[in-house]
């Protein structure tokens, strides 16, 4: 497995990291010195550890396991998973204790949903090698009797965890389910380490590390593989996750260990966080990068420890985007806590995780892009940017206690309904461990969202392009357009957001437009301290939300011919074009050739201005082919390009085809949807019992917030789940006749609508409009809420 980089994000994180680093370099690093007595170092570390942020509600209980002292660390809620985490703290075998690592151990226990035992193994110089290893082995053996054990450790504790796994392998004993090694010190000789740590290192110095090694090892050479497992034969170890920062003395050692494990055939993953120091995960709660790293540790631990068990859950949710999150909150609020959320990305966010291109913003006002049950008074702009939305989602997940239910980096490969048993058998695959497992669930909630499968354009020669190619939904955040010749294919909502920042950076930017789109002004503004203060008052927040709801509902009228709303929108699009594009020829190229609203309307104040810049060219000649160093248009001109950005949207029509979903009688969803996706109210599909789609077919909206469509869908799915339980039945499924009738009515309504007048992602290959809901939000809500269980069959 490869080395993954996780650059920290956000201005707040940079400021906090700078402050923390300076504090550690001032208060901690000087104390970790051979000149300071060990007793004082221990006292000082204990004192400083009290300032770290231990999550509220965590419980710590002193205990002895296998005769070894330590403490049980348990999440606020009872552990949701079997198996145990054994944690071995760092401190170069001379200082540190479970108490000094509580901010990390408590977060790890919470994020994994596993009980964690932090061992207080014996320290040097009082107890020399192999005392620490003996204690770790004794604690492990006792824990192993209760079930699988994942062993984690930082720094010296990381090296100790590795030594423990080697000792178990050599003794032929049951191995740990996985190893989590945080900045592991795996070669006590420090061979190959830089003579001085990188300037950003906030903890370790070479002198202190070597002094500790001498105190611990006594006469044993530092090259002894039992003390320096990097020098051992590493074959036959369980899956390993290594995490390290670039600003640390042991960065190089982490990479060496990764290479050595890989060479030995051990499944290993190495995660590097740029600009972070030794065991930065201790600063969870303050640094988002630390929280993210801990979440990934938890994911690795949970997916490894039970790779081969069949795990039974009441509900499995696929996708941790807005709709998956809403479903999870709904389950938690109704007390149905027996669920897991499976997400292939390494973090929460769904589309907001995927779409990290510069300028990514929501295009409805943020007060309406928050759940009705979780208003957010902290929005900083009316049209929030992607990272802000991700933070909001993280807050919601934490607030409703969802973290232990989330499994990142896991894909669902198939889901087969077992009619006799009334359960879905769902196969998953973990990216981290490359292992598969089976979940058995009564209900399968599919909340992947329609815009999850990026689509590359089918253009001759695209595979021959020799420069860099990026899709907007698979952005590389380290990409810098400065000095580059960039080509953007596409002029939809995404392109309109990423073109302005790219235009500012790139030496030259060519925007390839196939169809000009309708662009309306974006009524954006910052939310000031007063706005945020007022937003804490529930009546004010509710009034703002209601106001935007009403405004956007009014905007729905803009899709109907002859309305005042439509005339107003068309006029303001013209004015915007006229005010922002001085060049009449360019203005003409930007005139949309289709009726307003047929494709998604773009809201932007800077797109037109960006296109008018001297370093930007709007290319309207069709693309003939891509060549290794550019694009040739139909007029024969070659546009030289270093970087090709595809803002070409998503494969909405086949968005679930990569999953093998089988309903009653083994019917495949891909077959049922051969003429394009269809469902009843976008929620349920005849023949697929206990299967709930979130934002399914015909629920996309061209005028308002998708969240307004998600919430009623979730409420209905919950009601149906409860009804199933109340009746003691095994399954519930919409009747085929009901689904046919609702789709026929929908298609009749869509037939003569504005959406049938052009090509867009709302339509399938044969022209059927399968993605969009034609009505007002209140109509949809009424239709979903007003359903009758007589429309459903039970089995
Ligand atoms: P899109 O609307 O499907 O636009 C794709 C663009 O790529 C179109 O301009 C399309 O041209 C062009 N294109 C595709 N294949 C091409 C080819 N072979 N040659 C030349 N041009 C090609 O995709 P998107 O912009 O990513 O937006 C998708 C949806 O995501 C939006 O409608 C919106 O719902 C959502 N979105 C929301 C936000 C937000 O909330 N802030 C932001 C971005 C996206 P044609 O028009 O000629 O087909």
């Amino acid at each position: 497995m490869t080395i993954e980089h996780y650059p920290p994000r956000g201005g707040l994180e940079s400021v906090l990291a700078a402050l923390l680093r300076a504090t550690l370099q001032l208060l901690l690093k000087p104390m970790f010195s051979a000149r300071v007595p060990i007793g004082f170092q221990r006292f000082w570390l204990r004192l400083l550890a009290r300032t770290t942020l231990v999550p509220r509600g965590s419980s710590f209980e002193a205990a002895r396991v296998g005769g070894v002292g330590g403490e049980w660390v348990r999440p606020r809620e009872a552990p949701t998973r079997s198996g145990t985490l054994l944690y071995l703290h760092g401190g170069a075998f001379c200082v540190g204790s479970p108490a000094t690592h509580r901010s990390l151990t408590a977060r790890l226990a919470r994020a994994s949903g596993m009980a964690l035992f932090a061992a207080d193994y014996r320290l040097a110089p009082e107890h020399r090698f192999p005392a620490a290893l003996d204690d770790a082995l004794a604690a492990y053996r006792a824990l192993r009797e209760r079930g699988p054990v994942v062993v984690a450790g930082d720094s010296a504790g990381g090296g100790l965890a590795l030594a423990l796994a080697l000792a178990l392998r050599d003794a032929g004993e049951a191995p740990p389910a996985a190893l989590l090694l945080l900045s592991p010190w795996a070669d006590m000789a420090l061979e190959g380490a830089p003579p001085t740590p990188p300037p950003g290192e906030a903890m370790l110095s070479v002198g202190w590390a070597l002094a500790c090694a001498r105190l611990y090892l006594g006469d044993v050479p530092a090259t002894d593989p039992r003390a320096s497992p990097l020098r051992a034969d590493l074959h036959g170890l369980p899956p390993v996750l290594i995490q390290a920062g670039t600003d640390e003395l042991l960065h190089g050692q982490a990479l060496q260990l990764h290479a050595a494990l890989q060479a030995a055939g051990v499944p290993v993953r190495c995660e590097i966080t740029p600009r972070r120091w030794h065991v930065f995960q201790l600063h969870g709660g303050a640094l988002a990068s630390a929280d993210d790293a801990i979440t990934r540790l938890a994911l690795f631990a949970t997916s490894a420890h039970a790779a081969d068990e069949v795990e039974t859950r009441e509900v499995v949710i696929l996708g941790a985007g807005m709709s998956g999150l809403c479903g999870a909150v709904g389950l938690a609020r109704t007390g149905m806590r027996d669920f897991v959320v499976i997400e292939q990305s390494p973090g929460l966010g769904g589309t907001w995780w995927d779409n990290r291109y510069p300028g990514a913003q929501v295009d409805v006002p943020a007060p309406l892009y928050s759940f009705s049950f979780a208003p957010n008074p902290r929005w900083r702009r009316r049209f929030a940017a992607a990272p802000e939305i991700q933070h909001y989602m993280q807050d919601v997940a934490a607030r409703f206690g969802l973290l232990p239910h989330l499994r990142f980096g896991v894909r669902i490969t198939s889901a087969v309904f077992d009619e006799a048993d009334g359960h879905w058998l769902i196969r998953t695959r973990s990216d981290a461990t490359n292992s598969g497992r089976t979940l058995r669930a009564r209900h399968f909630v599919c909340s992947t969202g329609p815009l999850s499968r990026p689509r590359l354009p089918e253009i001759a020669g695209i595979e021959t392009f020799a420069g860099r190619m990026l899709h907007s939904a698979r952005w590389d955040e380290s990409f810098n357009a400065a000095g580059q010749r960039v080509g953007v294919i596409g002029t939809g909502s995404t392109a309109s957001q990423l073109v302005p920042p790219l235009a500012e950076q790139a030496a030259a930017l060519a925007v390839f437009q196939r169809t000009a789109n309708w662009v309306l002004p974006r009524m954006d503004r910052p939310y000031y301290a007063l706005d945020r203060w007022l937003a804490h008052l529930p009546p004010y927040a509710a009034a703002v939300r209601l106001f935007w709801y009403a405004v956007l509902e009014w905007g729905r009228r803009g899709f109907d011919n002859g309305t005042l709303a439509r005339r107003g929108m068309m006029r303001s699009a013209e004015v915007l074009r006229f005010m922002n594009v001085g060049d009449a020829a360019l203005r003409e190229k930007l005139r949309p050739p289709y009726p307003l609203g047929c494709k998604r309307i773009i809201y932007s104040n800077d797109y037109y201005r960006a296109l008018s810049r001297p370093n930007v060219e709007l290319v309207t000649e069709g693309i003939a082919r891509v060549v290794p160093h550019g694009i040739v248009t139909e007029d024969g001109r070659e546009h030289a390009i270093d970087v090709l950005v595809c803002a070409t949207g998503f494969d909405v029509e086949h968005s679930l085809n990569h999953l093998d979903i089988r309903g009653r009688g083994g019917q495949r969803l891909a077959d049922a949807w051969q003429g394009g996706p269809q469902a009843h109210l976008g929620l349920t599909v005849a023949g697929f019992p206990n299967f709930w789609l979130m934002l399914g077919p015909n629920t996309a909206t061209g005028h308002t917030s998708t969240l307004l469509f998600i919430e009623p869908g979730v409420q209905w799915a919950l009601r149906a789940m409860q009804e199933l339980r109340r009746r003691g039945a095994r399954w519930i499924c919409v009747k085929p006749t009901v689904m046919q009738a609702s789709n026929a009515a929908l298609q009749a309504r869509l037939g003569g609508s504005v959406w049938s007048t052009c090509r867009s992602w709302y339509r399938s290959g044969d022209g059927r409009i399968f993605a969009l809901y034609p009505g007002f939000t209140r109509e949809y809500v009424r239709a979903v809420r007003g359903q009758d269980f007589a429309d459903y069959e039970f089995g």
Side-chain angles (χ1 to χ4, degrees), residues 361-363 451 457 490-494 497 514-515 599-600 647-649 759 761:
Q361 255 185 319
V362 66
D363 61 3
L451 306 172
T491 49
S493 306
T494 301
Q497 294 187 343
R514 188 164 66 179
T515 312
K599 290 176 196 261
R600 173 92 174 191
T648 43
R759 170 188 54 207
W761 64 260

PDB file of all heavy atoms in Angstrom, residues 361-363 451 457 490-494 497 514-515 599-600 647-649 759 761, ligand 1:
ATOM      1  N   GLN A 361     -18.154  26.145  -3.136  1.00  0.00           N
ATOM      2  CA  GLN A 361     -19.097  26.838  -2.255  1.00  0.00           C
ATOM      3  C   GLN A 361     -20.478  26.253  -2.493  1.00  0.00           C
ATOM      4  O   GLN A 361     -20.769  25.797  -3.599  1.00  0.00           O
ATOM      5  CB  GLN A 361     -19.201  28.299  -2.704  1.00  0.00           C
ATOM      6  CG  GLN A 361     -18.498  29.308  -1.844  1.00  0.00           C
ATOM      7  CD  GLN A 361     -18.803  30.706  -2.339  1.00  0.00           C
ATOM      8  OE1 GLN A 361     -18.837  30.947  -3.537  1.00  0.00           O
ATOM      9  NE2 GLN A 361     -19.021  31.622  -1.436  1.00  0.00           N
ATOM     10  N   VAL A 362     -21.331  26.352  -1.492  1.00  0.00           N
ATOM     11  CA  VAL A 362     -22.696  25.923  -1.705  1.00  0.00           C
ATOM     12  C   VAL A 362     -23.433  27.036  -2.474  1.00  0.00           C
ATOM     13  O   VAL A 362     -23.058  28.200  -2.365  1.00  0.00           O
ATOM     14  CB  VAL A 362     -23.386  25.614  -0.361  1.00  0.00           C
ATOM     15  CG1 VAL A 362     -23.563  26.852   0.486  1.00  0.00           C
ATOM     16  CG2 VAL A 362     -24.718  24.916  -0.581  1.00  0.00           C
ATOM     17  N   ASP A 363     -24.429  26.656  -3.269  1.00  0.00           N
ATOM     18  CA  ASP A 363     -25.091  27.726  -4.014  1.00  0.00           C
ATOM     19  C   ASP A 363     -26.517  27.992  -3.544  1.00  0.00           C
ATOM     20  O   ASP A 363     -27.329  28.524  -4.293  1.00  0.00           O
ATOM     21  CB  ASP A 363     -24.997  27.512  -5.534  1.00  0.00           C
ATOM     22  CG  ASP A 363     -25.654  26.228  -5.992  1.00  0.00           C
ATOM     23  OD1 ASP A 363     -26.222  25.533  -5.138  1.00  0.00           O
ATOM     24  OD2 ASP A 363     -25.592  25.933  -7.198  1.00  0.00           O
ATOM     25  N   LEU A 451     -24.427  12.794  -7.195  1.00  0.00           N
ATOM     26  CA  LEU A 451     -23.221  13.395  -7.792  1.00  0.00           C
ATOM     27  C   LEU A 451     -21.965  12.819  -7.151  1.00  0.00           C
ATOM     28  O   LEU A 451     -21.141  13.541  -6.601  1.00  0.00           O
ATOM     29  CB  LEU A 451     -23.263  14.920  -7.623  1.00  0.00           C
ATOM     30  CG  LEU A 451     -24.531  15.604  -8.139  1.00  0.00           C
ATOM     31  CD1 LEU A 451     -24.562  17.071  -7.752  1.00  0.00           C
ATOM     32  CD2 LEU A 451     -24.638  15.459  -9.653  1.00  0.00           C
ATOM     33  N   PRO A 457     -14.632  13.412 -19.686  1.00  0.00           N
ATOM     34  CA  PRO A 457     -15.244  13.569 -20.999  1.00  0.00           C
ATOM     35  C   PRO A 457     -14.743  12.508 -21.969  1.00  0.00           C
ATOM     36  O   PRO A 457     -13.586  12.086 -21.895  1.00  0.00           O
ATOM     37  CB  PRO A 457     -14.776  14.964 -21.438  1.00  0.00           C
ATOM     38  CG  PRO A 457     -13.541  15.219 -20.665  1.00  0.00           C
ATOM     39  CD  PRO A 457     -13.671  14.471 -19.376  1.00  0.00           C
ATOM     40  N   GLY A 490     -15.599  22.362 -19.630  1.00  0.00           N
ATOM     41  CA  GLY A 490     -16.861  22.443 -18.904  1.00  0.00           C
ATOM     42  C   GLY A 490     -17.124  23.860 -18.422  1.00  0.00           C
ATOM     43  O   GLY A 490     -16.188  24.615 -18.120  1.00  0.00           O
ATOM     44  N   THR A 491     -18.399  24.190 -18.405  1.00  0.00           N
ATOM     45  CA  THR A 491     -18.792  25.540 -17.969  1.00  0.00           C
ATOM     46  C   THR A 491     -20.048  25.464 -17.098  1.00  0.00           C
ATOM     47  O   THR A 491     -20.886  26.347 -17.127  1.00  0.00           O
ATOM     48  CB  THR A 491     -19.061  26.447 -19.194  1.00  0.00           C
ATOM     49  OG1 THR A 491     -19.926  25.747 -20.094  1.00  0.00           O
ATOM     50  CG2 THR A 491     -17.798  26.836 -19.903  1.00  0.00           C
ATOM     51  N   GLY A 492     -20.162  24.386 -16.293  1.00  0.00           N
ATOM     52  CA  GLY A 492     -21.305  24.243 -15.394  1.00  0.00           C
ATOM     53  C   GLY A 492     -21.053  24.922 -14.060  1.00  0.00           C
ATOM     54  O   GLY A 492     -20.155  25.766 -13.931  1.00  0.00           O
ATOM     55  N   SER A 493     -21.850  24.537 -13.062  1.00  0.00           N
ATOM     56  CA  SER A 493     -21.742  25.157 -11.727  1.00  0.00           C
ATOM     57  C   SER A 493     -20.323  25.034 -11.190  1.00  0.00           C
ATOM     58  O   SER A 493     -19.776  25.970 -10.600  1.00  0.00           O
ATOM     59  CB  SER A 493     -22.667  24.457 -10.738  1.00  0.00           C
ATOM     60  OG  SER A 493     -23.967  24.429 -11.221  1.00  0.00           O
ATOM     61  N   THR A 494     -19.726  23.863 -11.371  1.00  0.00           N
ATOM     62  CA  THR A 494     -18.385  23.645 -10.822  1.00  0.00           C
ATOM     63  C   THR A 494     -17.375  24.559 -11.509  1.00  0.00           C
ATOM     64  O   THR A 494     -16.597  25.249 -10.846  1.00  0.00           O
ATOM     65  CB  THR A 494     -17.980  22.166 -11.029  1.00  0.00           C
ATOM     66  OG1 THR A 494     -18.932  21.357 -10.363  1.00  0.00           O
ATOM     67  CG2 THR A 494     -16.604  21.901 -10.504  1.00  0.00           C
ATOM     68  N   GLN A 497     -17.222  28.061 -10.480  1.00  0.00           N
ATOM     69  CA  GLN A 497     -16.597  28.351  -9.188  1.00  0.00           C
ATOM     70  C   GLN A 497     -15.084  28.238  -9.242  1.00  0.00           C
ATOM     71  O   GLN A 497     -14.380  28.984  -8.569  1.00  0.00           O
ATOM     72  CB  GLN A 497     -17.129  27.378  -8.133  1.00  0.00           C
ATOM     73  CG  GLN A 497     -18.613  27.581  -7.852  1.00  0.00           C
ATOM     74  CD  GLN A 497     -19.111  26.733  -6.703  1.00  0.00           C
ATOM     75  OE1 GLN A 497     -18.485  25.770  -6.285  1.00  0.00           O
ATOM     76  NE2 GLN A 497     -20.275  27.098  -6.177  1.00  0.00           N
ATOM     77  N   ARG A 514     -18.843  24.198 -24.233  1.00  0.00           N
ATOM     78  CA  ARG A 514     -19.661  23.556 -25.260  1.00  0.00           C
ATOM     79  C   ARG A 514     -21.020  24.250 -25.305  1.00  0.00           C
ATOM     80  O   ARG A 514     -21.574  24.487 -26.364  1.00  0.00           O
ATOM     81  CB  ARG A 514     -19.818  22.066 -24.931  1.00  0.00           C
ATOM     82  CG  ARG A 514     -20.485  21.285 -26.022  1.00  0.00           C
ATOM     83  CD  ARG A 514     -20.278  19.784 -25.859  1.00  0.00           C
ATOM     84  NE  ARG A 514     -20.941  19.252 -24.675  1.00  0.00           N
ATOM     85  CZ  ARG A 514     -20.922  17.969 -24.334  1.00  0.00           C
ATOM     86  NH1 ARG A 514     -20.241  17.106 -25.079  1.00  0.00           N
ATOM     87  NH2 ARG A 514     -21.530  17.546 -23.255  1.00  0.00           N
ATOM     88  N   THR A 515     -21.522  24.586 -24.109  1.00  0.00           N
ATOM     89  CA  THR A 515     -22.813  25.268 -24.049  1.00  0.00           C
ATOM     90  C   THR A 515     -22.698  26.415 -23.056  1.00  0.00           C
ATOM     91  O   THR A 515     -22.250  26.204 -21.923  1.00  0.00           O
ATOM     92  CB  THR A 515     -23.910  24.298 -23.536  1.00  0.00           C
ATOM     93  OG1 THR A 515     -23.814  23.076 -24.263  1.00  0.00           O
ATOM     94  CG2 THR A 515     -25.293  24.889 -23.699  1.00  0.00           C
ATOM     95  N   LYS A 599     -30.951  23.651 -17.687  1.00  0.00           N
ATOM     96  CA  LYS A 599     -29.808  23.112 -16.942  1.00  0.00           C
ATOM     97  C   LYS A 599     -29.762  23.873 -15.626  1.00  0.00           C
ATOM     98  O   LYS A 599     -30.387  24.934 -15.495  1.00  0.00           O
ATOM     99  CB  LYS A 599     -28.494  23.377 -17.687  1.00  0.00           C
ATOM    100  CG  LYS A 599     -28.320  22.568 -18.964  1.00  0.00           C
ATOM    101  CD  LYS A 599     -27.032  23.003 -19.650  1.00  0.00           C
ATOM    102  CE  LYS A 599     -26.972  22.549 -21.084  1.00  0.00           C
ATOM    103  NZ  LYS A 599     -26.197  21.352 -21.291  1.00  0.00           N
ATOM    104  N   ARG A 600     -28.994  23.388 -14.714  1.00  0.00           N
ATOM    105  CA  ARG A 600     -28.851  24.031 -13.408  1.00  0.00           C
ATOM    106  C   ARG A 600     -28.384  25.486 -13.592  1.00  0.00           C
ATOM    107  O   ARG A 600     -27.421  25.751 -14.317  1.00  0.00           O
ATOM    108  CB  ARG A 600     -27.819  23.254 -12.602  1.00  0.00           C
ATOM    109  CG  ARG A 600     -27.438  23.852 -11.312  1.00  0.00           C
ATOM    110  CD  ARG A 600     -28.286  23.336 -10.199  1.00  0.00           C
ATOM    111  NE  ARG A 600     -27.795  23.821  -8.923  1.00  0.00           N
ATOM    112  CZ  ARG A 600     -28.210  23.361  -7.767  1.00  0.00           C
ATOM    113  NH1 ARG A 600     -29.111  22.404  -7.718  1.00  0.00           N
ATOM    114  NH2 ARG A 600     -27.740  23.853  -6.653  1.00  0.00           N
ATOM    115  N   ALA A 647     -13.993  19.776 -15.550  1.00  0.00           N
ATOM    116  CA  ALA A 647     -15.149  20.125 -14.709  1.00  0.00           C
ATOM    117  C   ALA A 647     -16.376  19.623 -15.448  1.00  0.00           C
ATOM    118  O   ALA A 647     -17.285  20.382 -15.788  1.00  0.00           O
ATOM    119  CB  ALA A 647     -15.194  21.633 -14.489  1.00  0.00           C
ATOM    120  N   THR A 648     -16.343  18.318 -15.726  1.00  0.00           N
ATOM    121  CA  THR A 648     -17.314  17.742 -16.659  1.00  0.00           C
ATOM    122  C   THR A 648     -18.419  16.961 -15.953  1.00  0.00           C
ATOM    123  O   THR A 648     -19.102  16.151 -16.582  1.00  0.00           O
ATOM    124  CB  THR A 648     -16.579  16.844 -17.671  1.00  0.00           C
ATOM    125  OG1 THR A 648     -15.606  16.070 -16.974  1.00  0.00           O
ATOM    126  CG2 THR A 648     -15.886  17.668 -18.721  1.00  0.00           C
ATOM    127  N   GLY A 649     -18.545  17.188 -14.652  1.00  0.00           N
ATOM    128  CA  GLY A 649     -19.711  16.669 -13.961  1.00  0.00           C
ATOM    129  C   GLY A 649     -19.624  15.198 -13.588  1.00  0.00           C
ATOM    130  O   GLY A 649     -18.524  14.634 -13.441  1.00  0.00           O
ATOM    131  N   ARG A 759     -30.071  19.168 -23.243  1.00  0.00           N
ATOM    132  CA  ARG A 759     -29.330  18.040 -22.655  1.00  0.00           C
ATOM    133  C   ARG A 759     -28.820  18.457 -21.275  1.00  0.00           C
ATOM    134  O   ARG A 759     -28.346  19.574 -21.108  1.00  0.00           O
ATOM    135  CB  ARG A 759     -28.142  17.736 -23.570  1.00  0.00           C
ATOM    136  CG  ARG A 759     -27.140  16.749 -22.985  1.00  0.00           C
ATOM    137  CD  ARG A 759     -25.898  16.643 -23.841  1.00  0.00           C
ATOM    138  NE  ARG A 759     -25.311  17.953 -24.071  1.00  0.00           N
ATOM    139  CZ  ARG A 759     -24.569  18.268 -25.139  1.00  0.00           C
ATOM    140  NH1 ARG A 759     -24.346  17.385 -26.073  1.00  0.00           N
ATOM    141  NH2 ARG A 759     -24.059  19.468 -25.276  1.00  0.00           N
ATOM    142  N   TRP A 761     -27.648  16.726 -16.982  1.00  0.00           N
ATOM    143  CA  TRP A 761     -27.485  15.508 -16.162  1.00  0.00           C
ATOM    144  C   TRP A 761     -28.793  15.091 -15.516  1.00  0.00           C
ATOM    145  O   TRP A 761     -28.865  14.044 -14.875  1.00  0.00           O
ATOM    146  CB  TRP A 761     -26.369  15.675 -15.136  1.00  0.00           C
ATOM    147  CG  TRP A 761     -26.558  16.722 -14.055  1.00  0.00           C
ATOM    148  CD1 TRP A 761     -26.024  17.974 -14.034  1.00  0.00           C
ATOM    149  CD2 TRP A 761     -27.265  16.582 -12.814  1.00  0.00           C
ATOM    150  NE1 TRP A 761     -26.365  18.636 -12.882  1.00  0.00           N
ATOM    151  CE2 TRP A 761     -27.121  17.806 -12.103  1.00  0.00           C
ATOM    152  CE3 TRP A 761     -28.008  15.562 -12.223  1.00  0.00           C
ATOM    153  CZ2 TRP A 761     -27.695  18.024 -10.848  1.00  0.00           C
ATOM    154  CZ3 TRP A 761     -28.583  15.784 -10.972  1.00  0.00           C
ATOM    155  CH2 TRP A 761     -28.420  16.997 -10.300  1.00  0.00           C
TER     156      TRP A 761
HETATM  157  P1  LIG B   1     -22.362  19.682 -15.108  1.00  0.00           P
HETATM  158  O1  LIG B   1     -23.383  20.651 -14.685  1.00  0.00           O
HETATM  159  O2  LIG B   1     -22.821  18.364 -15.582  1.00  0.00           O
HETATM  160  O3  LIG B   1     -21.469  20.401 -16.167  1.00  0.00           O
HETATM  161  C1  LIG B   1     -20.537  19.690 -16.906  1.00  0.00           C
HETATM  162  C2  LIG B   1     -19.921  20.615 -17.912  1.00  0.00           C
HETATM  163  O4  LIG B   1     -18.984  19.893 -18.666  1.00  0.00           O
HETATM  164  C3  LIG B   1     -20.943  21.193 -18.892  1.00  0.00           C
HETATM  165  O5  LIG B   1     -20.596  22.498 -19.184  1.00  0.00           O
HETATM  166  C4  LIG B   1     -20.797  20.281 -20.089  1.00  0.00           C
HETATM  167  O6  LIG B   1     -21.182  20.876 -21.282  1.00  0.00           O
HETATM  168  C5  LIG B   1     -19.308  20.057 -20.072  1.00  0.00           C
HETATM  169  N1  LIG B   1     -18.908  18.858 -20.752  1.00  0.00           N
HETATM  170  C6  LIG B   1     -19.166  17.573 -20.416  1.00  0.00           C
HETATM  171  N2  LIG B   1     -18.623  16.746 -21.301  1.00  0.00           N
HETATM  172  C7  LIG B   1     -18.020  17.509 -22.234  1.00  0.00           C
HETATM  173  C8  LIG B   1     -17.293  17.237 -23.407  1.00  0.00           C
HETATM  174  N3  LIG B   1     -17.085  15.986 -23.804  1.00  0.00           N
HETATM  175  N4  LIG B   1     -16.815  18.268 -24.121  1.00  0.00           N
HETATM  176  C9  LIG B   1     -17.018  19.536 -23.721  1.00  0.00           C
HETATM  177  N5  LIG B   1     -17.706  19.864 -22.619  1.00  0.00           N
HETATM  178  C10 LIG B   1     -18.184  18.860 -21.877  1.00  0.00           C
HETATM  179  O7  LIG B   1     -21.310  19.381 -13.915  1.00  0.00           O
HETATM  180  P2  LIG B   1     -20.885  20.306 -12.698  1.00  0.00           P
HETATM  181  O8  LIG B   1     -20.567  21.668 -13.125  1.00  0.00           O
HETATM  182  O9  LIG B   1     -19.848  19.563 -11.968  1.00  0.00           O
HETATM  183  O10 LIG B   1     -22.196  20.413 -11.832  1.00  0.00           O
HETATM  184  C11 LIG B   1     -22.972  19.269 -11.560  1.00  0.00           C
HETATM  185  C12 LIG B   1     -23.960  19.613 -10.489  1.00  0.00           C
HETATM  186  O11 LIG B   1     -23.283  19.649  -9.266  1.00  0.00           O
HETATM  187  C13 LIG B   1     -24.604  20.961 -10.619  1.00  0.00           C
HETATM  188  O12 LIG B   1     -25.640  20.975 -11.511  1.00  0.00           O
HETATM  189  C14 LIG B   1     -25.055  21.189  -9.214  1.00  0.00           C
HETATM  190  O13 LIG B   1     -26.248  20.519  -8.960  1.00  0.00           O
HETATM  191  C15 LIG B   1     -23.938  20.555  -8.426  1.00  0.00           C
HETATM  192  N6  LIG B   1     -22.976  21.558  -7.985  1.00  0.00           N
HETATM  193  C16 LIG B   1     -23.350  22.329  -6.956  1.00  0.00           C
HETATM  194  C17 LIG B   1     -22.495  23.270  -6.512  1.00  0.00           C
HETATM  195  C18 LIG B   1     -22.899  24.086  -5.351  1.00  0.00           C
HETATM  196  O14 LIG B   1     -23.857  23.853  -4.700  1.00  0.00           O
HETATM  197  N7  LIG B   1     -22.156  25.040  -5.059  1.00  0.00           N
HETATM  198  C19 LIG B   1     -21.274  23.491  -7.099  1.00  0.00           C
HETATM  199  C20 LIG B   1     -20.905  22.686  -8.153  1.00  0.00           C
HETATM  200  C21 LIG B   1     -21.773  21.726  -8.585  1.00  0.00           C
HETATM  201  P3  LIG B   1     -22.724  20.795 -21.800  1.00  0.00           P
HETATM  202  O15 LIG B   1     -23.495  21.732 -20.929  1.00  0.00           O
HETATM  203  O16 LIG B   1     -22.667  21.204 -23.204  1.00  0.00           O
HETATM  204  O17 LIG B   1     -23.166  19.370 -21.618  1.00  0.00           O
END
